[in-house]
Amino acid sequence: MKIIKAKTYKDMSRKAANIISAQVIMKPNCVLGLATGSTPIGLYEQLIDWYQKGDIDFSEVTTINLDEYRGLSGDNPQSYRYFMDEHFFKHINIRPENINVPDGTNLDVQAECTRYDHLIMDKGGIDLQLLGIGNNGHIGFNEPDSAFELGTHCIDLLESTIEANARFFENEDEVPRQAYTMGIKTIMQAHKVLMIANGKNKAAILKEAFLGPVTPRVPASILQMHPDFTLIGDEEAMSEMNL
Ligand code: PGA
């Protein structure tokens, strides 16, 4: 486990973008596992900037996203596919056929999860998986007490998540109740894992996840066992790590 302390959100984003950029330069046809959320927005902006300057080329890259709401199509502004298009894909030269996000419109859980796991295998696995971390230690939609040995699966959203998301929808009934997510087994099989975290509200969970015991109660803690795991946090997020 490598732990890198960044000064600010911008510094964290830049350091993480450098690692992704190095991956793409070293292996232009690499498979990147990507994440949504507020944390990676600055990293995607940095990569877009380097792309526009001609420093990085995504034409041979394949991307595989962590998760998607079951029931939402990619043109729904609340879908993770839409988020990725807006914040990253439409600004770079990735080929549309090389973009992969679980298909929220496929309501057949077994078929969709199997399709996604086979896709990851067919691509030869994920070279570099990017992750954020939830305040409760979740990675992707793997909430506390998720089994470590699962591949892609469908989860029921926590009531607290449904309530928190309701503000983005016309009414609470429209909020998806389920999501597809890569499992922890899938994440652990990535060759490299890169986690980014910023802000004071992540300080306690980083300490618990990476200085505490490995336990399903804190899903991210399993990353302590990954052979090539890097955590980059800004000063606030690292403030309880005593490094
Ligand atoms: P955030 O979400 O980047 O919006 O903090 C992280 C996560 O829940 O994985």
Side-chain angles (χ1 to χ4, degrees):
M1 180 165 80
K2 283 191 216 81
I3 300 183
I4 299 175
K5 214 170 177 175
K7 284 197 178 55
T8 58
Y9 176 72
K10 199 173 165 62
D11 186 32
M12 174 204 79
S13 304
R14 220 177 142 83
K15 284 182 161 62
N18 260 304
I19 291 174
I20 292 182
S21 174
Q23 172 69 62
V24 174
I25 290 167
M26 296 298 282
K27 186 177 175 190
N29 64 346
C30 66
V31 178
L32 298 178
L34 297 180
T36 52
S38 54
T39 314
I41 291 177
L43 176 162
Y44 292 138
E45 282 171 359
Q46 180 65 76
L47 289 174
I48 292 165
D49 182 49
W50 287 336
Y51 163 71
Q52 286 168 346
K53 291 183 170 134
D55 289 337
I56 178 166
D57 172 19
F58 293 94
S59 61
E60 292 178 56
V61 169
T62 294
T63 61
I64 302 188
N65 261 77
L66 275 174
D67 45 16
E68 179 61 285
Y69 291 114
R70 178 169 178 259
L72 295 194
S73 68
D75 54 9
N76 184 313
Q78 300 311 327
S79 71
Y80 286 170
R81 173 59 199 259
Y82 191 92
F83 174 99
M84 290 306 300
D85 285 341
E86 290 303 303
H87 290 284
F88 194 36
F89 297 143
K90 75 179 192 188
H91 307 283
I92 59 170
N93 65 336
I94 187 160
R95 295 202 189 110
E97 63 271 28
N98 289 348
I99 295 172
N100 300 283
V101 180
D103 179 3
T105 65
N106 186 357
L107 300 181
D108 181 337
V109 171
Q110 187 63 44
E112 182 54 18
C113 294
T114 305
R115 180 191 75 83
Y116 215 60
D117 280 339
H118 284 170
L119 171 91
I120 295 168
M121 265 188 292
D122 289 348
K123 301 287 176 196
I126 294 169
D127 289 298
L128 172 59
Q129 176 66 53
L130 175 68
L131 294 176
I133 182 169
N135 289 325
N136 61 1
H138 73 207
I139 46 180
F141 262 121
N142 296 284
E143 299 289 354
D145 297 320
S146 302
F148 282 157
E149 67 272 14
L150 285 177
T152 304
H153 59 287
C154 180
I155 57 99
D156 294 328
L157 296 185
L158 298 176
E159 201 50 47
S160 54
T161 309
I162 295 169
E163 279 165 31
N165 288 352
R167 66 186 191 278
F168 300 117
F169 293 84
E170 297 265 308
N171 60 62
E172 204 174 303
D173 291 343
E174 282 182 27
V175 185
R177 269 29 192 185
Q178 292 183 312
Y180 292 123
T181 184
M182 267 186 213
I184 290 178
K185 183 172 92 180
T186 329
I187 294 170
M188 287 298 283
Q189 283 171 345
H191 300 306
K192 290 187 174 66
V193 179
L194 171 63
M195 174 178 281
I196 51 176
N198 72 288
K200 263 215 136 7
N201 66 333
K202 298 287 169 73
I205 194 63
L206 286 189
K207 180 180 177 192
E208 207 181 334
F210 301 117
L211 300 183
V214 174
T215 164
R217 207 173 40 76
V218 184
S221 65
I222 187 71
L223 295 164
Q224 292 182 38
M225 316 287 282
H226 192 281
D228 191 346
F229 170 61
T230 303
L231 165 68
I232 306 181
D234 73 353
E235 262 175 14
E236 287 186 347
M238 295 293 206
S239 57
E240 292 191 26
M241 297 283 273
N242 294 329
L243 298 171

